C-alpha cells in the first residue's frame, strides 16, 4: 500500500472552529497529494457545549428479506454474475477516463459522445439501476419492493451492498473511513485501479492513547485476500489525547474495479506504565469505481 502524507490533528474542545478537508466526491482533477487540497468537503466542530455534529455514516448493509415481499429466484451461477459485474465496472471506468482525456485534449465532440454513452450506461447498469430503485422504493415506503431489489442486487454484485465508508468505536476510540476512486492515477485498460481513503480517528475516551501498528485485510473483486501489517501510520505513531483526533490519507491500488478493506489499529494507553495494548476495529468499507450515494462522512 502507498501512504500519502496528509494528516491533521483535531482538538474537539477548541473554543474556535476547527475545519479539515475531506474528499467530497470523485471528480475530475482530484489529486491526492500532500501539497494540494483533496476534494472540497469540510467538517466543522464549533466551540461551546453543543458544537457541530459529525456526519453519521453507515457500514455494511445486511442481506435477508428485510420485511417481506416476493423473493427473486437465485441465480445458479453467482460466479458468472460477479465476473460480469467486474467487466461492466471496468468498462465504466474506461469510459470515464476516455471522456476526461478527450476533454483535456479539447476534443469536445468526442467528449460529448462518450458522455452520452456514459449516461446510457448509467441508466442500464444493473447496480446503478437497483440502487435507484431501492432509493425510490424507500422514499415511497414500498419496503417490500426495496427488500426485493436489495436481494437481487446482492446476487449480482455482493460488493455493491458495502458502502464506501464505515464507522466503528472500540473502547471510546472512533474510526471513520471514506474511500474514493482516483481516475487520474488509474489505468483500467491495464487492470490498474487506484483508490484513496481518508481516516479520522477520534479519542472519545478519558485516557490518552498511542497508535502503535496497523493491520489491513484487503480483498479484491475476485475474492483474493491480502493481509498487510505495518508500524504506525504514514511513518508515525501518533499520540491522541482525550477529546482530540488524528486524520490522515492513504491509498490502495487494486487489479479489479471493486474490492473491500477492513482491519484494526493496535493502540495502548500511555497514562499508566505497563498498560497492555488493545485492538481498535476498522469496520469494512468498499473500494468501488461506481462509488455510492454518499459523498462525505
Amino acid at each position: 500500500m502507498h501512504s500519502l502524507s496528509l494528516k491533521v490533528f483535531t482538538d474537539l474542545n477548541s473554543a474556535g472552529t476547527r475545519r479539515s478537508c475531506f474528499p467530497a466526491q470523485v471528480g475530475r482533477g482530484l489529486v491526492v497529494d500532500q501539497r494540494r487540497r483533496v476534494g472540497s468537503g469540510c467538517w466543522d466542530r464549533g466551540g461551546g457545549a453543543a458544537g457541530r455534529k459529525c456526519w453519521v455514516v453507515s457500514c455494511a448493509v445486511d442481506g435477508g428479506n428485510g420485511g417481506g415481499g416476493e423473493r427473486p429466484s437465485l441465480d445458479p451461477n453467482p460466479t458468472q454474475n460477479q465476473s460480469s459485474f467486474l467487466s461492466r465496472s471496468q468498462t465504466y471506468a474506461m469510459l470515464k477516463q476516455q471522456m476526461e482525456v478527450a476533454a483535456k485534449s479539447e476534443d469536445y465532440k468526442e467528449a460529448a459522445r462518450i458522455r452520452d454513452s456514459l449516461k446510457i450506461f448509467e441508466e442500464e447498469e444493473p447496480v446503478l439501476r437497483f440502487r435507484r430503485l431501492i432509493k425510490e422504493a424507500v422514499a415511497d415506503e414500498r419496503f417490500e419492493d426495496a427488500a426485493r431489489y436489495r436481494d437481487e442486487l446482492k446476487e449480482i454484485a455482493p460488493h455493491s451492498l458495502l458502502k464506501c465508508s464505515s464507522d466503528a468505536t472500540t473502547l471510546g476510540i472512533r474510526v471513520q473511513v471514506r474511500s474514493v476512486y482516483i481516475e487520474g492515477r488509474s489505468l483500467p485498460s491495464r487492470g490498474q485501479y487506484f483508490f484513496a481513503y481518508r481516516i479520522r480517528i477520534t479519542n472519545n475516551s478519558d485516557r490518552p492513547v498511542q497508535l502503535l501498528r496497523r493491520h489491513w485485510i484487503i480483498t479484491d473483486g475476485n475474492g483474493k485476500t491480502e493481509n498487510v501489517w505495518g508500524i504506525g501510520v504514514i511513518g508515525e505513531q501518533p499520540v491522541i489525547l482525550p477529546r482530540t483526533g488524528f486524520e490522515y490519507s492513504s491509498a490502495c491500488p487494486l487489479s479489479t474495479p471493486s474490492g473491500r478493506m477492513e482491519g484494526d489499529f493496535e493502540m495502548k494507553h500511555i497514562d499508566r506504565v505497563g498498560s497492555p495494548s488493545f485492538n481498535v476495529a476498522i469496520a469494512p468499507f468498499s473500494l468501488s469505481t461506481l462509488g455510492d450515494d454518499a459523498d462525505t462522512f
Side-chain angles (χ1 to χ4, degrees), residues 91-272:
T91 299
Y92 185 70
M94 290 179 65
L95 283 172
K96 292 186 72 174
Q97 188 175 59
Q98 289 170 3
M99 182 178 68
E100 182 178 359
V101 170
K104 286 183 177 179
S105 62
E106 298 186 359
D107 188 349
Y108 299 124
K109 184 176 182 180
E110 177 66 7
R113 186 190 68 79
I114 299 175
R115 177 205 60 202
D116 294 341
S117 296
L118 270 172
K119 288 183 178 179
I120 295 174
F121 184 96
E122 290 171 351
E123 291 175 358
E124 298 179 350
E125 161 56 37
V127 171
L128 299 177
R129 180 168 61 87
F130 275 121
R131 284 180 180 172
R132 184 172 64 253
L133 289 173
I134 292 171
K135 188 174 183 180
E136 293 172 353
V138 171
D140 295 338
E141 298 184 358
R142 293 183 288 108
F143 301 119
E144 293 84 1
D145 289 340
R148 178 164 55 86
Y149 295 145
R150 180 200 58 200
D151 291 345
E152 292 181 9
L153 179 57
K154 184 178 180 180
E155 288 304 310
I156 64 172
H159 280 305
S160 66
L161 290 178
L162 192 64
K163 296 293 185 181
C164 293
S165 58
S166 73
D167 189 343
T169 298
T170 306
L171 297 178
I173 309 301
R174 185 182 185 185
V175 179
Q176 296 168 276
V177 189
R178 174 70 186 168
S179 69
V180 291
Y181 173 59
I182 308 299
E183 296 176 34
R185 300 279 303 269
S186 303
L187 291 173
S189 60
R190 298 182 184 179
Q192 299 174 7
Y193 303 88
F194 193 85
F195 298 91
Y197 56 89
R198 180 79 170 173
I199 292 186
R200 176 192 297 157
I201 305 170
T202 306
N203 184 357
N204 292 320
S205 74
D206 296 325
R207 302 178 64 184
V209 297
Q210 183 175 20
L211 194 160
L212 303 176
R213 298 175 182 84
R214 69 185 183 277
H215 170 220
W216 286 110
I217 304 172
I218 305 169
T219 306
D220 68 15
N222 293 321
K224 180 181 177 182
T225 297
E226 178 184 6
N227 284 271
V228 178
W229 289 269
I231 303 297
V233 292
I234 59 172
E236 298 185 25
Q237 293 179 305
V239 171
I240 309 174
L241 300 177
R243 309 302 170 185
T244 67
F246 178 82
E247 304 167 8
Y248 75 95
S249 291
S250 191
C252 176
L254 280 185
S255 60
T256 58
S258 66
R260 59 181 282 161
M261 291 179 66
E262 59 191 297
D264 56 80
F265 293 125
E266 182 183 350
M267 297 189 180
K268 72 173 181 179
H269 293 112
I270 59 173
D271 55 344
R272 298 175 189 169

Side-chain angles (χ1 to χ4, degrees), residues 34-47:
Q34 63 177 342
R35 295 163 298 178
R36 302 186 185 182
R37 182 177 181 179
V38 182
S40 58
C42 295
W43 70 286
D44 295 296
R45 182 177 291 273

Side-chain angles (χ1 to χ4, degrees), residues 9 19 28 56 103 126 160 172 184 210 212 214 259 275 283:
F9 276 100
R19 173 170 295 175
R28 242 181 262 168
V56 178
S160 66
Q210 183 175 20
L212 303 176
R214 69 185 183 277
S275 295

Side-chain angles (χ1 to χ4, degrees), residues 43-62:
W43 70 286
D44 295 296
R45 182 177 291 273
R52 296 193 184 182
K53 296 181 180 179
C54 291
W55 292 300
V56 178
V57 300
S58 59
C59 300
V61 179
D62 295 331

